[in-house]
Short mmCIF file of all heavy atoms in Angstrom, two decimals:
data_model
loop_
_atom_site.label_atom_id
_atom_site.label_comp_id
_atom_site.label_asym_id
_atom_site.label_seq_id
_atom_site.Cartn_x
_atom_site.Cartn_y
_atom_site.Cartn_z
N MET H 97 122.35 137.27 392.27
CA MET H 97 121.36 138.30 392.68
C MET H 97 121.20 138.20 394.22
O MET H 97 121.35 137.18 394.73
CB MET H 97 120.14 138.23 391.89
CG MET H 97 119.26 137.04 392.22
SD MET H 97 117.92 136.77 391.03
CE MET H 97 116.63 137.94 391.73
N ARG H 98 120.79 139.37 394.80
CA ARG H 98 120.47 139.34 396.20
C ARG H 98 119.01 139.31 396.46
O ARG H 98 118.28 140.09 395.76
CB ARG H 98 121.14 140.54 396.91
CG ARG H 98 122.55 140.36 397.18
CD ARG H 98 123.34 141.61 397.15
NE ARG H 98 122.75 142.55 398.19
CZ ARG H 98 123.30 142.68 399.38
NH1 ARG H 98 124.25 141.88 399.82
NH2 ARG H 98 122.80 143.48 400.26
N VAL H 99 118.54 138.52 397.33
CA VAL H 99 117.12 138.35 397.59
C VAL H 99 116.90 138.43 399.08
O VAL H 99 117.76 138.10 399.89
CB VAL H 99 116.59 137.02 397.08
CG1 VAL H 99 116.57 137.11 395.56
CG2 VAL H 99 117.33 135.84 397.58
N LYS H 100 115.70 138.93 399.50
CA LYS H 100 115.36 139.02 400.85
C LYS H 100 114.22 138.06 401.24
O LYS H 100 113.24 137.93 400.47
CB LYS H 100 114.91 140.42 401.19
CG LYS H 100 114.79 140.70 402.67
CD LYS H 100 114.81 142.20 402.92
CE LYS H 100 113.40 142.66 403.12
NZ LYS H 100 113.33 144.05 403.75
N CYS H 101 114.46 137.33 402.31
CA CYS H 101 113.45 136.42 402.76
C CYS H 101 112.24 137.13 403.21
O CYS H 101 112.39 138.01 404.02
CB CYS H 101 114.03 135.46 403.80
SG CYS H 101 112.75 134.35 404.58
N VAL H 102 111.03 136.72 402.76
CA VAL H 102 109.79 137.43 403.12
C VAL H 102 109.44 137.18 404.61
O VAL H 102 108.78 137.89 405.21
CB VAL H 102 108.65 137.10 402.14
CG1 VAL H 102 108.26 135.65 402.34
CG2 VAL H 102 107.55 137.95 402.37
N ILE H 103 109.92 135.99 405.13
CA ILE H 103 109.58 135.68 406.54
C ILE H 103 110.53 136.28 407.58
O ILE H 103 110.07 136.88 408.47
CB ILE H 103 109.63 134.13 406.69
CG1 ILE H 103 108.82 133.41 405.60
CG2 ILE H 103 109.13 133.68 408.06
CD1 ILE H 103 107.31 133.41 405.70
N CYS H 104 111.78 136.15 407.45
CA CYS H 104 112.70 136.59 408.45
C CYS H 104 113.57 137.71 408.02
O CYS H 104 114.45 138.20 408.76
CB CYS H 104 113.57 135.41 408.91
SG CYS H 104 114.72 134.88 407.63
N ASP H 105 113.36 138.28 406.78
CA ASP H 105 114.09 139.46 406.32
C ASP H 105 115.59 139.16 406.08
O ASP H 105 116.35 140.15 406.03
CB ASP H 105 113.86 140.68 407.26
CG ASP H 105 112.50 141.26 407.05
OD1 ASP H 105 111.82 140.88 406.07
OD2 ASP H 105 112.16 142.13 407.72
N LYS H 106 115.97 137.95 406.14
CA LYS H 106 117.36 137.69 405.91
C LYS H 106 117.68 137.90 404.36
O LYS H 106 116.95 137.54 403.51
CB LYS H 106 117.69 136.14 406.31
CG LYS H 106 119.16 135.88 406.18
CD LYS H 106 119.42 134.59 406.93
CE LYS H 106 119.05 133.39 406.17
NZ LYS H 106 119.37 132.16 406.83
N ILE H 107 118.85 138.55 404.13
CA ILE H 107 119.29 138.72 402.80
C ILE H 107 120.18 137.73 402.35
O ILE H 107 121.22 137.48 403.13
CB ILE H 107 119.82 140.18 402.61
CG1 ILE H 107 118.77 141.21 402.99
CG2 ILE H 107 120.39 140.33 401.27
CD1 ILE H 107 118.91 142.52 402.38
N GLU H 108 119.94 137.03 401.21
CA GLU H 108 120.80 135.98 400.77
C GLU H 108 121.23 136.31 399.37
O GLU H 108 120.48 136.85 398.58
CB GLU H 108 120.06 134.66 400.85
CG GLU H 108 119.80 134.12 402.26
CD GLU H 108 119.41 132.68 402.20
OE1 GLU H 108 118.80 132.21 401.23
OE2 GLU H 108 119.68 132.02 403.16
N ALA H 109 122.41 135.74 398.99
CA ALA H 109 122.86 135.89 397.58
C ALA H 109 122.55 134.49 396.94
O ALA H 109 122.91 133.48 397.52
CB ALA H 109 124.30 136.19 397.60
N ILE H 110 121.87 134.53 395.78
CA ILE H 110 121.67 133.28 395.04
C ILE H 110 122.26 133.39 393.72
O ILE H 110 122.43 134.47 393.16
CB ILE H 110 120.13 132.94 394.97
CG1 ILE H 110 119.39 134.06 394.33
CG2 ILE H 110 119.57 132.69 396.41
CD1 ILE H 110 117.96 133.72 394.08
N GLU H 111 122.54 132.24 393.12
CA GLU H 111 123.12 132.22 391.79
C GLU H 111 122.20 132.79 390.80
O GLU H 111 120.98 132.39 390.76
CB GLU H 111 123.41 130.73 391.49
CG GLU H 111 124.36 130.08 392.47
CD GLU H 111 125.75 129.95 391.84
OE1 GLU H 111 125.88 130.16 390.61
OE2 GLU H 111 126.75 129.61 392.55
N ASP H 112 122.62 133.56 389.93
CA ASP H 112 121.78 134.20 388.86
C ASP H 112 121.18 133.08 387.97
O ASP H 112 120.11 133.28 387.45
CB ASP H 112 122.64 135.00 387.95
CG ASP H 112 122.77 136.47 388.61
OD1 ASP H 112 122.22 136.68 389.69
OD2 ASP H 112 123.49 137.29 388.09
N GLU H 113 121.92 131.96 387.81
CA GLU H 113 121.42 130.94 386.90
C GLU H 113 120.64 129.88 387.57
O GLU H 113 120.23 128.88 386.99
CB GLU H 113 122.63 130.33 386.15
CG GLU H 113 123.44 131.32 385.32
CD GLU H 113 122.43 132.03 384.31
OE1 GLU H 113 121.66 131.36 383.67
OE2 GLU H 113 122.58 133.26 384.20
N SER H 114 120.45 130.08 388.93
CA SER H 114 119.74 128.97 389.66
C SER H 114 118.28 129.02 389.28
O SER H 114 117.74 130.03 388.78
CB SER H 114 119.92 129.18 391.15
OG SER H 114 119.22 130.32 391.58
N LEU H 115 117.60 127.90 389.62
CA LEU H 115 116.18 127.79 389.32
C LEU H 115 115.42 128.87 390.08
O LEU H 115 114.46 129.47 389.54
CB LEU H 115 115.71 126.41 389.73
CG LEU H 115 114.41 125.84 389.09
CD1 LEU H 115 114.82 125.46 387.64
CD2 LEU H 115 113.95 124.68 389.84
N VAL H 116 115.78 129.06 391.36
CA VAL H 116 115.12 130.07 392.17
C VAL H 116 115.20 131.44 391.52
O VAL H 116 114.12 132.17 391.48
CB VAL H 116 115.60 130.09 393.59
CG1 VAL H 116 114.96 131.08 394.43
CG2 VAL H 116 115.68 128.70 394.17
N ALA H 117 116.34 131.82 391.13
CA ALA H 117 116.56 133.14 390.48
C ALA H 117 115.72 133.30 389.20
O ALA H 117 115.07 134.38 389.02
CB ALA H 117 118.07 133.35 390.13
N LYS H 118 115.61 132.28 388.46
CA LYS H 118 114.81 132.38 387.25
C LYS H 118 113.39 132.53 387.58
O LYS H 118 112.65 133.26 386.94
CB LYS H 118 115.06 131.08 386.38
CG LYS H 118 116.32 131.12 385.62
CD LYS H 118 116.56 129.81 384.82
CE LYS H 118 117.95 129.85 384.31
NZ LYS H 118 118.45 128.51 383.96
N ARG H 119 112.98 131.85 388.60
CA ARG H 119 111.53 131.94 389.01
C ARG H 119 111.25 133.34 389.54
O ARG H 119 110.21 133.88 389.27
CB ARG H 119 111.25 130.92 390.16
CG ARG H 119 109.98 130.16 389.91
CD ARG H 119 109.87 128.92 390.76
NE ARG H 119 110.28 129.19 392.18
CZ ARG H 119 110.53 128.30 393.05
NH1 ARG H 119 110.46 127.04 392.79
NH2 ARG H 119 110.90 128.59 394.30
N LEU H 120 112.20 133.80 390.29
CA LEU H 120 112.05 135.16 390.87
C LEU H 120 111.96 136.26 389.85
O LEU H 120 111.31 137.31 390.02
CB LEU H 120 113.08 135.54 391.90
CG LEU H 120 112.96 134.86 393.27
CD1 LEU H 120 114.14 135.06 394.11
CD2 LEU H 120 111.70 135.28 393.94
N ARG H 121 112.54 136.04 388.72
CA ARG H 121 112.48 137.06 387.66
C ARG H 121 111.09 137.09 387.03
O ARG H 121 110.71 138.19 386.46
CB ARG H 121 113.57 136.70 386.55
CG ARG H 121 114.88 137.41 386.92
CD ARG H 121 115.83 137.25 385.70
NE ARG H 121 117.12 136.96 386.26
CZ ARG H 121 117.84 135.88 386.05
NH1 ARG H 121 117.28 134.89 385.34
NH2 ARG H 121 118.98 135.75 386.56
N ASN H 122 110.37 136.11 387.17
CA ASN H 122 109.07 136.07 386.54
C ASN H 122 107.93 136.38 387.54
O ASN H 122 106.83 136.48 387.24
CB ASN H 122 108.79 134.69 385.96
CG ASN H 122 109.68 134.32 384.81
OD1 ASN H 122 110.11 135.20 384.05
ND2 ASN H 122 110.08 133.11 384.69
N ARG H 123 108.40 136.45 388.86
CA ARG H 123 107.42 136.75 389.90
C ARG H 123 107.91 137.89 390.75
O ARG H 123 109.10 138.21 390.77
CB ARG H 123 107.24 135.45 390.82
CG ARG H 123 106.53 134.39 390.12
CD ARG H 123 106.86 133.15 390.86
NE ARG H 123 105.95 132.00 390.42
CZ ARG H 123 105.16 131.41 391.28
NH1 ARG H 123 105.01 131.75 392.48
NH2 ARG H 123 104.35 130.50 390.77
N PRO H 124 106.99 138.51 391.53
CA PRO H 124 107.53 139.53 392.47
C PRO H 124 108.62 139.02 393.37
O PRO H 124 108.52 137.95 393.87
CB PRO H 124 106.29 139.91 393.28
CG PRO H 124 105.14 139.46 392.38
CD PRO H 124 105.60 138.31 391.59
N ILE H 125 109.50 139.91 393.76
CA ILE H 125 110.63 139.50 394.57
C ILE H 125 110.22 139.02 396.00
O ILE H 125 110.84 138.26 396.66
CB ILE H 125 111.55 140.72 394.70
CG1 ILE H 125 112.96 140.30 395.30
CG2 ILE H 125 111.01 141.83 395.50
CD1 ILE H 125 113.82 139.61 394.33
N HIS H 126 109.07 139.45 396.49
CA HIS H 126 108.66 139.16 397.83
C HIS H 126 108.19 137.70 398.02
O HIS H 126 107.77 137.30 399.05
CB HIS H 126 107.58 140.14 398.35
CG HIS H 126 106.26 140.09 397.56
ND1 HIS H 126 106.02 141.02 396.57
CD2 HIS H 126 105.28 139.18 397.51
CE1 HIS H 126 104.80 140.74 396.11
NE2 HIS H 126 104.38 139.61 396.64
N THR H 127 108.26 136.94 396.87
CA THR H 127 107.87 135.52 397.06
C THR H 127 109.01 134.71 397.52
O THR H 127 108.88 133.45 397.82
CB THR H 127 107.26 134.95 395.71
OG1 THR H 127 108.39 135.05 394.71
CG2 THR H 127 106.11 135.62 395.33
N TYR H 128 110.23 135.30 397.78
CA TYR H 128 111.35 134.56 398.09
C TYR H 128 111.33 134.13 399.59
O TYR H 128 111.00 134.87 400.37
CB TYR H 128 112.71 135.30 397.84
CG TYR H 128 113.90 134.51 398.23
CD1 TYR H 128 114.29 133.41 397.47
CD2 TYR H 128 114.53 134.73 399.42
CE1 TYR H 128 115.38 132.71 397.86
CE2 TYR H 128 115.60 133.95 399.84
CZ TYR H 128 116.03 132.99 399.04
OH TYR H 128 117.11 132.17 399.41
N MET H 129 111.62 132.84 399.82
CA MET H 129 111.84 132.40 401.23
C MET H 129 113.17 131.68 401.28
O MET H 129 113.57 130.90 400.45
CB MET H 129 110.75 131.41 401.58
CG MET H 129 109.52 132.03 402.17
SD MET H 129 108.47 130.65 402.81
CE MET H 129 107.90 129.87 401.36
N CYS H 130 113.90 131.99 402.43
CA CYS H 130 115.15 131.36 402.53
C CYS H 130 114.98 129.86 402.90
O CYS H 130 113.90 129.42 403.20
CB CYS H 130 115.99 132.03 403.65
SG CYS H 130 115.37 131.77 405.32
N ASN H 131 116.12 129.07 402.83
CA ASN H 131 115.97 127.70 403.03
C ASN H 131 115.42 127.35 404.44
O ASN H 131 114.57 126.43 404.55
CB ASN H 131 117.38 127.06 402.88
CG ASN H 131 117.77 126.86 401.46
OD1 ASN H 131 116.86 126.75 400.63
ND2 ASN H 131 119.02 126.90 401.22
N ASP H 132 115.86 128.08 405.52
CA ASP H 132 115.37 127.84 406.86
C ASP H 132 113.91 127.91 406.89
O ASP H 132 113.23 127.10 407.35
CB ASP H 132 116.00 128.82 407.74
CG ASP H 132 117.48 128.50 408.06
OD1 ASP H 132 117.93 127.41 407.54
OD2 ASP H 132 118.13 129.27 408.72
N CYS H 133 113.38 129.00 406.37
CA CYS H 133 111.93 129.27 406.44
C CYS H 133 111.11 128.35 405.59
O CYS H 133 110.10 127.83 406.02
CB CYS H 133 111.57 130.78 406.02
SG CYS H 133 112.17 131.88 407.25
N SER H 134 111.58 128.05 404.40
CA SER H 134 110.78 127.19 403.53
C SER H 134 110.82 125.82 404.08
O SER H 134 109.78 125.10 403.99
CB SER H 134 111.33 127.16 402.14
OG SER H 134 112.68 126.79 402.03
N THR H 135 111.90 125.33 404.70
CA THR H 135 111.92 124.06 405.38
C THR H 135 110.94 124.02 406.51
O THR H 135 110.15 123.11 406.60
CB THR H 135 113.33 123.71 405.91
OG1 THR H 135 114.21 123.75 404.88
CG2 THR H 135 113.34 122.39 406.52
N ARG H 136 110.85 125.06 407.33
CA ARG H 136 110.07 125.22 408.43
C ARG H 136 108.57 125.12 408.02
O ARG H 136 107.72 124.41 408.58
CB ARG H 136 110.29 126.47 409.22
CG ARG H 136 110.01 126.36 410.69
CD ARG H 136 110.70 127.46 411.50
NE ARG H 136 110.51 128.77 410.89
CZ ARG H 136 111.37 129.75 410.89
NH1 ARG H 136 112.48 129.62 411.43
NH2 ARG H 136 111.05 130.90 410.35
N ILE H 137 108.27 125.87 406.95
CA ILE H 137 106.89 125.99 406.52
C ILE H 137 106.43 124.66 405.85
O ILE H 137 105.40 124.21 406.05
CB ILE H 137 106.69 127.20 405.47
CG1 ILE H 137 106.81 128.41 406.41
CG2 ILE H 137 105.47 127.03 404.74
CD1 ILE H 137 106.42 129.65 405.61
N THR H 138 107.41 124.05 405.13
CA THR H 138 107.05 122.65 404.54
C THR H 138 106.70 121.67 405.75
O THR H 138 105.77 120.92 405.57
CB THR H 138 108.21 122.19 403.72
OG1 THR H 138 108.52 123.17 402.71
CG2 THR H 138 107.86 120.83 403.06
N GLU H 139 107.59 121.70 406.72
CA GLU H 139 107.31 120.81 407.87
C GLU H 139 105.94 121.09 408.49
O GLU H 139 105.11 120.22 408.75
CB GLU H 139 108.38 120.89 408.93
CG GLU H 139 109.58 120.15 408.53
CD GLU H 139 110.76 120.50 409.51
OE1 GLU H 139 110.59 121.19 410.44
OE2 GLU H 139 111.90 120.05 409.21
N LYS H 140 105.63 122.42 408.68
CA LYS H 140 104.34 122.77 409.31
C LYS H 140 103.25 122.23 408.45
O LYS H 140 102.24 121.75 408.90
CB LYS H 140 104.30 124.36 409.44
CG LYS H 140 104.41 124.82 410.85
CD LYS H 140 103.99 126.31 410.76
CE LYS H 140 104.97 127.10 411.62
NZ LYS H 140 104.77 128.56 411.51
N THR H 141 103.37 122.51 407.08
CA THR H 141 102.23 122.08 406.20
C THR H 141 102.06 120.62 406.21
O THR H 141 100.87 120.21 406.32
CB THR H 141 102.63 122.56 404.80
OG1 THR H 141 102.95 123.95 404.78
CG2 THR H 141 101.51 122.25 403.80
N ASN H 142 103.20 119.94 406.26
CA ASN H 142 103.10 118.47 406.31
C ASN H 142 102.46 118.01 407.53
O ASN H 142 101.58 117.09 407.53
CB ASN H 142 104.42 117.78 406.23
CG ASN H 142 104.97 117.96 404.75
OD1 ASN H 142 104.21 118.19 403.77
ND2 ASN H 142 106.28 117.73 404.60
N ASN H 143 102.77 118.61 408.74
CA ASN H 143 102.25 118.26 410.03
C ASN H 143 100.69 118.47 410.02
O ASN H 143 99.90 117.70 410.42
CB ASN H 143 102.77 119.07 411.15
CG ASN H 143 104.24 118.57 411.46
OD1 ASN H 143 104.62 117.52 411.01
ND2 ASN H 143 104.97 119.40 412.11
N ARG H 144 100.28 119.71 409.46
CA ARG H 144 98.89 119.99 409.44
C ARG H 144 98.09 119.05 408.52
O ARG H 144 96.96 118.63 408.80
CB ARG H 144 98.72 121.48 409.01
CG ARG H 144 98.67 122.28 410.21
CD ARG H 144 98.23 123.68 409.86
NE ARG H 144 99.28 124.39 409.11
CZ ARG H 144 99.20 125.63 408.57
NH1 ARG H 144 98.11 126.30 408.74
NH2 ARG H 144 100.17 126.14 407.85
N ALA H 145 98.71 118.70 407.36
CA ALA H 145 98.10 117.81 406.48
C ALA H 145 97.87 116.42 407.07
O ALA H 145 96.80 115.82 406.94
CB ALA H 145 98.96 117.63 405.25
N GLU H 146 98.75 116.05 407.96
CA GLU H 146 98.66 114.74 408.62
C GLU H 146 97.50 114.72 409.60
O GLU H 146 96.80 113.76 409.89
CB GLU H 146 99.91 114.42 409.24
CG GLU H 146 100.96 113.81 408.33
CD GLU H 146 102.32 113.69 408.87
OE1 GLU H 146 102.50 113.77 410.14
OE2 GLU H 146 103.32 113.60 408.13
N THR H 147 97.30 115.87 410.35
CA THR H 147 96.19 115.93 411.31
C THR H 147 94.85 116.07 410.62
O THR H 147 93.82 115.81 411.33
CB THR H 147 96.38 117.20 412.28
OG1 THR H 147 96.27 118.38 411.49
CG2 THR H 147 97.70 117.18 412.95
N GLY H 148 94.82 116.38 409.40
CA GLY H 148 93.54 116.40 408.68
C GLY H 148 92.80 117.72 408.85
O GLY H 148 91.68 117.95 408.38
N ASN H 149 93.48 118.71 409.55
CA ASN H 149 92.78 119.92 409.72
C ASN H 149 93.11 120.99 408.74
O ASN H 149 92.71 122.09 408.82
CB ASN H 149 93.15 120.48 411.16
CG ASN H 149 92.58 119.73 412.28
OD1 ASN H 149 91.45 119.14 412.19
ND2 ASN H 149 93.30 119.63 413.35
N PHE H 150 93.88 120.59 407.78
CA PHE H 150 94.47 121.57 406.81
C PHE H 150 94.04 121.23 405.43
O PHE H 150 94.24 120.06 404.99
CB PHE H 150 95.95 121.54 406.95
CG PHE H 150 96.62 122.53 406.00
CD1 PHE H 150 96.48 123.92 406.17
CD2 PHE H 150 97.38 121.96 404.92
CE1 PHE H 150 97.07 124.71 405.16
CE2 PHE H 150 97.94 122.88 404.00
CZ PHE H 150 97.85 124.23 404.14
N ARG H 151 93.34 122.09 404.74
CA ARG H 151 92.97 121.79 403.36
C ARG H 151 94.03 122.43 402.42
O ARG H 151 94.26 123.53 402.60
CB ARG H 151 91.61 122.43 403.11
CG ARG H 151 90.51 121.61 403.66
CD ARG H 151 89.20 122.36 403.54
NE ARG H 151 88.22 121.77 404.47
CZ ARG H 151 87.41 120.82 404.06
NH1 ARG H 151 87.43 120.35 402.86
NH2 ARG H 151 86.50 120.36 404.93
N LEU H 152 94.51 121.68 401.53
CA LEU H 152 95.46 122.19 400.56
C LEU H 152 94.75 123.24 399.64
O LEU H 152 93.66 123.04 399.26
CB LEU H 152 96.05 121.06 399.73
CG LEU H 152 97.01 120.16 400.44
CD1 LEU H 152 97.38 118.96 399.56
CD2 LEU H 152 98.27 120.88 400.92
N TYR H 153 95.47 124.28 399.30
CA TYR H 153 94.93 125.26 398.45
C TYR H 153 94.61 124.65 397.07
O TYR H 153 95.41 123.94 396.56
CB TYR H 153 95.92 126.43 398.31
CG TYR H 153 95.44 127.49 397.32
CD1 TYR H 153 94.51 128.44 397.72
CD2 TYR H 153 95.94 127.47 396.04
CE1 TYR H 153 93.99 129.36 396.86
CE2 TYR H 153 95.46 128.46 395.14
CZ TYR H 153 94.51 129.36 395.56
OH TYR H 153 94.03 130.31 394.66
N ARG H 154 93.38 124.95 396.57
CA ARG H 154 93.09 124.42 395.30
C ARG H 154 92.80 125.53 394.35
O ARG H 154 92.24 126.58 394.73
CB ARG H 154 91.78 123.57 395.35
CG ARG H 154 92.02 122.38 396.30
CD ARG H 154 90.72 121.69 396.48
NE ARG H 154 90.23 121.03 395.24
CZ ARG H 154 89.04 120.33 395.22
NH1 ARG H 154 88.32 120.19 396.23
NH2 ARG H 154 88.69 119.72 394.06
N PRO H 155 93.22 125.41 393.10
CA PRO H 155 92.93 126.45 392.10
C PRO H 155 91.40 126.74 392.05
O PRO H 155 90.61 125.82 392.24
CB PRO H 155 93.41 125.86 390.78
CG PRO H 155 94.25 124.73 391.16
CD PRO H 155 93.81 124.29 392.47
N LYS H 156 91.06 128.11 391.88
CA LYS H 156 89.69 128.45 391.88
C LYS H 156 89.01 128.29 390.57
O LYS H 156 87.96 128.94 390.31
CB LYS H 156 89.53 129.87 392.47
CG LYS H 156 90.19 130.93 391.64
CD LYS H 156 89.87 132.23 392.13
CE LYS H 156 90.37 133.39 391.16
NZ LYS H 156 89.83 134.71 391.61
N SER H 157 89.63 127.57 389.61
CA SER H 157 89.07 127.39 388.33
C SER H 157 87.60 126.89 388.34
O SER H 157 86.82 127.18 387.53
CB SER H 157 89.89 126.54 387.48
OG SER H 157 90.00 125.21 388.12
N GLU H 158 87.25 126.05 389.43
CA GLU H 158 85.95 125.55 389.50
C GLU H 158 84.92 126.59 389.55
O GLU H 158 83.70 126.45 389.21
CB GLU H 158 85.79 124.61 390.74
CG GLU H 158 86.60 123.30 390.53
CD GLU H 158 86.54 122.49 391.83
OE1 GLU H 158 85.63 122.60 392.57
OE2 GLU H 158 87.49 121.77 392.03
N GLN H 159 85.31 127.70 390.23
CA GLN H 159 84.32 128.84 390.42
C GLN H 159 84.33 129.82 389.25
O GLN H 159 83.40 130.71 389.21
CB GLN H 159 84.76 129.64 391.68
CG GLN H 159 84.68 128.78 392.92
CD GLN H 159 85.39 129.54 394.04
OE1 GLN H 159 85.76 130.67 393.93
NE2 GLN H 159 85.42 128.87 395.22
N ASP H 160 85.13 129.62 388.35
CA ASP H 160 85.32 130.65 387.26
C ASP H 160 84.58 130.23 385.98
O ASP H 160 84.76 130.82 384.81
CB ASP H 160 86.73 130.81 386.88
CG ASP H 160 87.40 131.68 387.96
OD1 ASP H 160 86.68 132.34 388.73
OD2 ASP H 160 88.63 131.76 387.97
N GLU H 161 83.65 129.20 386.06
CA GLU H 161 83.08 128.73 384.85
C GLU H 161 82.14 129.68 384.19
O GLU H 161 82.01 129.70 382.96
CB GLU H 161 82.36 127.40 385.15
CG GLU H 161 83.32 126.26 385.15
CD GLU H 161 82.68 124.93 385.68
OE1 GLU H 161 81.47 124.88 385.57
OE2 GLU H 161 83.40 124.13 386.12
N TRP H 162 81.48 130.53 385.01
CA TRP H 162 80.60 131.54 384.41
C TRP H 162 81.42 132.77 384.05
O TRP H 162 80.90 133.61 383.38
CB TRP H 162 79.45 131.84 385.35
CG TRP H 162 79.88 132.29 386.64
CD1 TRP H 162 80.39 131.57 387.66
CD2 TRP H 162 79.90 133.69 387.09
NE1 TRP H 162 80.71 132.43 388.69
CE2 TRP H 162 80.41 133.66 388.40
CE3 TRP H 162 79.53 134.86 386.42
CZ2 TRP H 162 80.55 134.86 389.05
CZ3 TRP H 162 79.61 136.09 387.18
CH2 TRP H 162 80.16 136.05 388.52
ZN1 ZN A 144 113.88 133.21 406.17
#
C-alpha cells in the first residue's frame, strides 16, 4: 500500500503485511510518518526528555473518573 508521510508529504510504499500497514488499517491514514521523520522526532523527544522540560503524554483516564 502507498502511504504519505504527515510531516514531509513524502509518499512511500510499504508492505501490505507489515506491522505499519496493519496499524494504519485500524487508524486514520494521516498518522503515518516516514522513517526519516519518525527518527527525527524520536531523537527530539529523547533530547527534550533528557533536559527535563518535556512531560510525556499521559492518558487522561485520571480525569475521567466522574
Ligand atoms: Zn517524512
Side-chain angles (χ1 to χ4, degrees):
M97 69 191 278
R98 277 151 61 93
V99 290
K100 191 161 99 169
C101 172
V102 68
I103 309 282
C104 66
D105 283 353
K106 184 163 80 178
I107 299 205
E108 291 195 331
I110 58 174
E111 302 255 348
D112 279 356
E113 298 305 314
S114 70
L115 203 73
V116 182
K118 279 175 189 161
R119 225 166 45 193
L120 284 172
R121 270 188 220 116
N122 297 325
R123 288 161 168 241
I125 192 80
H126 61 259
T127 58
Y128 178 76
M129 269 191 291
C130 70
N131 282 333
D132 286 352
C133 290
S134 60
T135 304
R136 210 162 49 213
I137 287 189
T138 304
E139 280 171 7
K140 253 193 222 171
T141 304
N142 288 343
N143 288 344
R144 268 189 289 178
E146 280 166 18
T147 65
N149 293 327
F150 178 70
R151 287 168 194 269
L152 290 172
Y153 176 79
R154 300 173 69 179
K156 62 174 186 173
S157 57
E158 287 173 30
Q159 298 169 1
D160 284 346
E161 278 171 21
W162 59 282

